[in-house]
Amino acid sequence: MAVIPTIDLTQAAAGREVLLQQVRQLADTDPLACYQCGKCSAGCPLSFAMEQQPRQILRLVQLGLKEQALASATIWLCAGCAACTTRCPRRVKIDSVMDALRQLAAREGRPAREREVAAFHESFLETVRRGGRLHELGLVGRYKLRTGRFLQDGILGWKLFSRRRLPLKPSRVSDRRAMERLFRPELQP
Amino acid sequence: MKRVGVFLCWCGSNIAAHVDLDRVQEMSEDLGNVVHVQQNKYMCSEPGQETVRKAIQRHGLDRVVIAACSPRMHERTFRRTVEGAGLNPYLLEIANVREHCSWVHPDKETGTPVAIDLVRTAVAKAVQDVPLQSSYAGVEKRALVIGGGIAGIQAALDIAGSGYEVVLVEREPTIGGRMAQLDKTFPTLDCSSCILTPKMVEVSQDPRIRLLTYAEVESLAGYVGNFEARIRLKARSVDFVKCTGCGDCWNKCPYRTPGEFDLGLGKRKAIFIPFPQAIPSKPTIDRDTCAYFQKNGKCQVCKKFCQAGAIDFEQTDEILEEKFGAVVVATGFDLWDHARYGEYGAGEHPDVISSLELERLLSASGPSDGHLKRPSDGREPKRVVFIQCVGSRDEAKGVGYCSKICCMYTAKHAIMLKEKIPDSQAFVFYIDVRTPGKNYEEFYRRATVEAGAQYIRGRVSRIYLRGKQLVVVGEDTLLGQKVEVEADLVVLASAVVSRADAPQVAQKLGFSYDNYGFFTEAHPKLAPVETNTAGIFLAGACQGPKDIPETVAQAGAAAAKVVRLFAKDKLETEPMVARVDPEHCAGCQWCRPICPYQAIGMETLTERPGGRRVTRRVARVNTSLCHGCGACSVACRSGAMNLLGFSNEQLWAEVEALCL
Amino acid sequence: MKVAYYPGCSSHGSAADYDRSARVVAGALGLGLVEVPDWNCCGASSAHALDHQLALDLAGRNLALAAQLDLGGVVTPCAACYSRLNRAHQWLGEDRRRWLDLAARVERPYRDVGKPRSLLELVVGAIGLPAVAERVRRPLQGLKVAAYYGCLMLRPPEVARFDDPENPRSMDDLLRTLGANPVRWGHKTECCGASLSVSRPELVRKLVDDILDNAAAAGAECLATACPMCQANLEQRRSADRTMPAYYFTDLAGLAFGFSPVDLGIAMHLDSSLHPLLSQGQGGDRP
Amino acid sequence: MPLAEVEPKIVAFFCNWCSYAGADLAGTSRIQYPPSVRIIRVPCSGRVNPRFILRAFQLGADGVLVAGCHPGDCHYSTGNYFSRRRLSLLRRFLAYLGIDERRFRVRWISASEGPRFAETVKEMTEELRQLGPAQKVAATSVD
Ligand SMILES: Cc1cc2nc3c(=O)[nH]c(=O)nc-3n(C[C@H](O)[C@H](O)[C@H](O)COP(=O)(O)OP(=O)(O)OC[C@H]3O[C@@H](n4cnc5c(N)ncnc54)[C@H](O)[C@@H]3O)c2cc1C
Ligand SMILES: Cc1cc2nc3c(=O)[nH]c(=O)nc-3n(C[C@H](O)[C@H](O)[C@H](O)COP(=O)(O)OP(=O)(O)OC[C@H]3O[C@@H](n4cnc5c(N)ncnc54)[C@H](O)[C@@H]3O)c2cc1C
Ligand code: SF4
Ligand code: SF4
Ligand code: SF4
Ligand code: SF4
Ligand code: SF4
Ligand code: SF4
Ligand code: SF4
Ligand code: SF4
């Protein structure tokens, strides 16, 4: 028998203010303004893949249910398209809230529910940190190492490669130290 | 020197047990200006009052201080007392030694010093008192009602029914307002025109009501009891004395234009009455459409067919100047323009319509004779999506408030839809269903259970085209899943908003309006139909979103306030008002914007210093408008503005006496 | 007219084709693109997902570099870069103390030289449609195009501050100027999911197919995009049975100006098939 | 005299419609509070001229309390907004004159808030006791 747990709001209340404050600060928006109308979810292109709708993520934050919010796949599936933010009648910056939650999850070293998505972002930043620019081949290489998805997109890669759209040599920033200055050490993988 | 008498009340033991009144008496006797001090067990009793009156006469007192209970309790009583002894009633001060002293302090030890301070302060203030006089102004017992929707109609009928004259000014060619555009009305579903038309007829037949349609108030001057209005009667190009309302003209007129009354869904002629039950039932030529006016003198078909010879192309606007004692403003509301929602098609899909447009499409007197057909291709819609809170409760693009009526009228629409097209399906996207009214929740139940409307909790994100098909996307927030509907017709419950020209109307008439353009009531709970300008009252949706029952109730209340005013022959003005000392006024006008009642005007003074004639602008308080708040007296830097009864001198003296 | 040009990483990689047509068309319109020296990745897709400050700094460094060129605000052909640059620009605009902080981190002074613009914004705005019309040699008569704006070029409107976020018209107007018939369709601004393209390709496939299907239902024969991420995604992540080509708006402008598909890099598209209307007299009379 | 025995003196300006009535209510409810406050009745908090306040401090008042209707409830609709603005300016000016701004309070007290009024007096009295008696301000800095 599957047990659906009762949410303990008494306990959640303790951490609620802290979570709200973190989100307010990182996302520059107040999650409490959300009145749960659902306009954000309704326009979200990825809602079909989300177990919890963007609106529900806002709800989790409102109640102070940090664990659930940060463990949700939704925050990783959000493509950052801002359809939600553009239409929210309460001016909640939902896309920024998603960013904030991902950042919190990353900062606290929590395993992402969407391993591939997080791996992609990490690989991306690693590539940029190395060369200052994104080198697609380098990115794909790193990503494959992280995820073990060696075969994905083999044909596509060839197609791009054959059309001279996957340069072998990365284009780089010449100021070698520039990136080191911007990437703060606590984020180095 | 002033002759102050001080009277110390025991209030039984209420005061006497906590204040050593003998000590207070001793102290008082030592104060300058005090010539008489006396104690009494119950000062407000008839014998107590008699003591005061006697002492005034015997000791020739010209100021009285009574140390007793709160002035909010017996100030009036004692004013009458001193008046009875021939003293100006404003030469009285009260020291609140009961509520502010004996009752809040445990014993004489603590209470007495406080009482001493309070009495000393009251004496200091009394010394600065000056006699004040009320003034009186006559009342013009005739009311001006602006706006002829259901609110204005009801107010006019109620005032006239009490025996007073009313002038009802409506800017459209007919009265009736929005209600005339409605098909049926919640929560009873009576046909709107069936209940409205008799009232409209009543207005036209009441000898005490003068109906001025196609007219606007240009300006309003004066104050409560004595307003002067300039009213413009726009040229209708039809002589109403001659016109019989036969209709030959509009039947024959060859020029058509989209009709305002049908919101552009149907057409009307250049000479027209807006709808068959219009009052007055005589036509108006719309000069912007008429060929005679647009194509220099061409056409004239109406003139040819009018047997009464009523067509008058030369008619000009007329200006009317009239006096009124009170004004009721009932200019109604508009709907928010949903073209501002790009995500709902920016007003570009013909089959995405407003709720008011749906009313016209449902109405038997509407452009489709009551057959619900969608605008694009005239097909009968089967799947109709209703979207709630369009523009309402939307701080980002619309208005922050709830429009209050749309939940109910959408339930009505869902019921009507099922009635008209039995095999149709209504989908209602809502955030909350708000039905606080008598029989309202029951009515909503009828929409869901009996008419089978599908209510989906979620705000629609987008209406888009899939090929030619309208698709509506929302989230069913109760399921947490996205839903979409292929709609034949989409009806938007657009927000109730103030009329575009509401701020100008308010400025012209001289009262305030809120950020949304709704007119501001004097107090949200206790003076909901008054404006903060005495003598101007509000009725209906011009003050905020309202349905018909509320509008009618408010109109009745506004009428009662007017009648209450007219019940007096003279209006007494409050004597504690602001007064300018023209000598010191610099004419800087700092005081003017601060007055919540626009009571301060400017006047020109002519002086002859050393024989030279000099003119100078100084402030002047209209005592009929002033409520005596005193804000102006603080704003005034020259000290020219003062507040009688709480004058600078009085307050200054109180502070000094207290800090002794 | 010369402007500071921020190409973005893809232009040196998978969107080399876009870079080509962008330069050709800019040149034809008398617009000099001066590449921002030593630019770095703007961080789009990933930096803001993991580190707020890093996202602002990566974009901020480019703004500081562009300011040194003294050519007015920077222009970029990529919607994602556009969005990141604008966010940083706005963030910096809110508080001048941030200028100094940024300058310290990137070791260059920052100066506000105006709102970063997209290439499309520049063409319809500063250059203007009349100038474009003058340059048209071979109008794309009768070509039914679905103008696809995607998300980040318009959203959130407080950041993008360009065109109507729900019913944009700029690219439609441009296409009309080129002689084409932009169709009325429902998915102009739907997101293509580019940021998930590598990690969750199967999700992105649905988004892309939806967009292509909606365009087809509206009778479009091809799509026009103004972003390398959109174009790549629309081409790479579609189901095998979807065949509608996706061009850059610069491809279509270049063709209308009379350039050949090869000049424009169209041959580098995955689907380089040209609509018959576009292939007429292809490679012929160069102006 | 030892500090605790000196009762500070608070000059209070209360609007007739809300706060004065609130103080009356404290009386009718027999809520006890320190005998420190003396209330001057004004029609509206907007009537309170900052000069009255400065005068009180000049003459040695230990504290000044201004009370009016809650924002939005003003009997004259906007008076308390004006006073709010004006008095916050005054607060800054007090610091300039060397008057501890804790000696000056503005409170919104409605007719039904007798207990809140009493609470306010208690708190303020307590604070003024801590601060000790006020100094008289040099006369020239006011007029
Ligand atoms: C779609 C819809 C359906 C509704 N259905 C219902 C229902 O079923 N039941 C219900 O109870 N309520 C319903 N209502 C609400 C109802 O319409 C209003 O409560 C009512 O019309 C308000 O009346 P009013 O007189 O205040 O304003 P209005 O009807 O707007 O009348 C104002 C009048 O003033 C005139 N005017 C405006 N400005 C000036 C000026 N400057 N000078 C002179 N004249 C001026 C206007 O021309 C108009 O005639 C519905 C509303 C809508 C939008
Ligand atoms: C918990 C609660 C909170 C509220 N909060 C608010 C609020 O914040 N804001 C707001 O606007 N409204 C509020 N209200 C609503 C408000 O209380 C009512 O609108 C208002 O009291 C109604 O006044 P009334 O005179 O109609 O009725 P009542 O207040 O009920 O007065 C009726 C009077 O008639 C007397 N009476 C009854 N029968 C007879 C008889 N046969 N003969 C003689 N006398 C009789 C009763 O004794 C009573 O004195 C609240 C209501 C409740 C229950
Ligand atoms: S659109 Fe805004 S208010 Fe509505 S559910 Fe989403 S975040 Fe909340
Ligand atoms: S920003 Fe994220 S949550 Fe918002 S609509 Fe786009 S994908 Fe959905
Ligand atoms: S005047 Fe007031 S204090 Fe005196 S007896 Fe009467 S009620 Fe009591
Ligand atoms: S034809 Fe003449 S009388 Fe008849 S309605 Fe027209 S104007 Fe009036
Ligand atoms: S002149 Fe002609 S167009 Fe004008 S109202 Fe008369 S009939 Fe109509
Ligand atoms: S009445 Fe209903 S539909 Fe109208 S704004 Fe309020 S909640 Fe929305
Ligand atoms: S006392 Fe108040 S109402 Fe009277 S004029 Fe002055 S500001 Fe206006
Ligand atoms: S503020 Fe004083 S000086 Fe200025 S106009 Fe008003 S009354 Fe005269």
Side-chain angles (χ1 to χ4, degrees), chain A residues 123 126-127 130 137-147:
Chain A
S123 313
E126 175 64 9
T127 322
R130 291 283 161 87
L137 218 50
L139 163 65
V140 170
R142 277 207 179 75
Y143 173 70
K144 286 184 188 303
L145 275 175
R146 274 176 198 265
T147 58

Side-chain angles (χ1 to χ4, degrees), chain B residues 146-151 169-172 177-179 182 184-186 216 330-333 335 355-356 359 405 409 412 499 501 505 540-541 546-549 551:
Chain B
I146 305 172
I150 181 62
V169 175
E170 163 62 54
R171 79 164 152 213
E172 297 298 326
R178 296 282 175 219
M179 189 174 167
L182 306 181
K184 302 232 163 93
T185 53
F186 66 75
E216 268 182 82
T331 50
F333 69 101
L335 283 193
S355 46
L356 201 55
E359 293 279 352
I405 60 170
Y409 71 56
K412 170 181 78 175
R499 296 217 178 238
D501 63 344
V505 169
K546 260 176 216 70
D547 58 15
I548 297 164
T551 298

Side-chain angles (χ1 to χ4, degrees), chain B residues 385-577:
Chain B
V385 172
F386 294 90
I387 306 181
Q388 300 302 90
C389 307
V390 174
S392 301
R393 310 176 67 191
D394 182 346
E395 295 157 10
K397 287 185 206 155
V399 295
Y401 55 82
C402 160
S403 292
K404 199 175 191 177
I405 60 170
C406 11
C407 278
M408 279 300 288
Y409 71 56
T410 298
K412 170 181 78 175
H413 291 159
I415 295 170
M416 296 306 303
L417 173 70
K418 197 68 184 177
E419 221 164 78
K420 296 249 170 183
I421 308 174
D423 62 340
S424 65
Q425 177 64 55
F427 300 86
V428 182
F429 284 91
Y430 71 98
I431 324 179
D432 300 287
V433 176
R434 296 182 169 174
T435 55
K438 204 167 173 173
N439 288 321
Y440 284 13
E441 181 66 13
E442 295 86 333
F443 186 78
Y444 161 49
R445 180 180 196 277
R446 201 169 141 193
T448 51
V449 179
E450 289 169 33
Q454 263 188 50
Y455 273 67
I456 302 125
R457 193 199 172 281
R459 206 190 246 276
V460 164
S461 172
R462 201 156 92 87
I463 302 169
Y464 72 94
L465 285 175
R466 182 186 289 148
K468 298 220 167 347
Q469 176 66 55
L470 283 176
V471 182
V472 179
V473 199
E475 186 201 5
D476 184 321
T477 56
L478 302 177
L479 289 177
Q481 257 174 295
K482 201 185 265 194
V483 294
E484 63 170 49
V485 188
E486 294 194 336
D488 296 332
L489 181 68
V490 181
V491 183
L492 306 180
S494 303
V496 170
V497 295
S498 60
R499 296 217 178 238
D501 63 344
Q504 289 87 291
V505 169
Q507 284 157 8
K508 206 159 53 184
L509 302 177
F511 53 83
S512 46
Y513 54 96
D514 65 21
N515 289 342
Y516 293 115
F518 287 120
F519 300 149
T520 312
E521 64 283 359
H523 190 284
K525 277 155 279 189
L526 302 179
V529 299
E530 290 93 332
T531 63
N532 46 17
T533 302
I536 304 186
F537 304 98
L538 301 174
C542 59
Q543 182 257 354
K546 260 176 216 70
D547 58 15
I548 297 164
E550 230 188 314
T551 298
V552 171
Q554 205 196 15
K561 301 282 176 184
V562 170
V563 169
R564 174 183 144 152
L565 225 139
F566 289 178
K568 295 182 190 148
D569 292 322
K570 294 218 171 289
L571 294 178
E572 185 182 347
T573 58
E574 170 62 44
M576 296 211 201
V577 289

Side-chain angles (χ1 to χ4, degrees), chain A residues 40 43-47 50 54 77-85 94-95 98:
Chain A
C40 49
C44 175
L46 283 139
S47 73
M50 295 169 173
L77 291 174
C78 163
C81 75
C84 46
T85 301
I94 302 104
D95 64 324
M98 297 293 179

Side-chain angles (χ1 to χ4, degrees), chain A residues 79-83 86 95-96 99, chain C residues 6 42-45 48 55-56 58-60 63 74-91 115-119 121 149-162 226-229:
Chain A
C81 75
T86 303
D95 64 324
S96 301
D99 274 347
Chain C
Y6 176 80
C42 70
S45 304
H48 59 96
L56 293 165
L58 285 172
L63 293 178
V74 65
V75 60
T76 175
C78 168
C81 304
Y82 174 68
S83 182
R84 294 328 306 177
L85 293 175
N86 267 296
R87 280 190 197 250
H89 177 252
Q90 248 172 38
W91 179 79
K115 173 188 183 296
R117 283 171 293 180
S118 71
L119 191 58
E121 192 176 2
Y149 300 78
C151 49
L152 293 178
M153 196 159 52
L154 308 159
R155 291 198 300 249
E158 298 76 36
V159 172
R161 288 179 297 157
F162 168 61
C227 169
M229 314 261 274

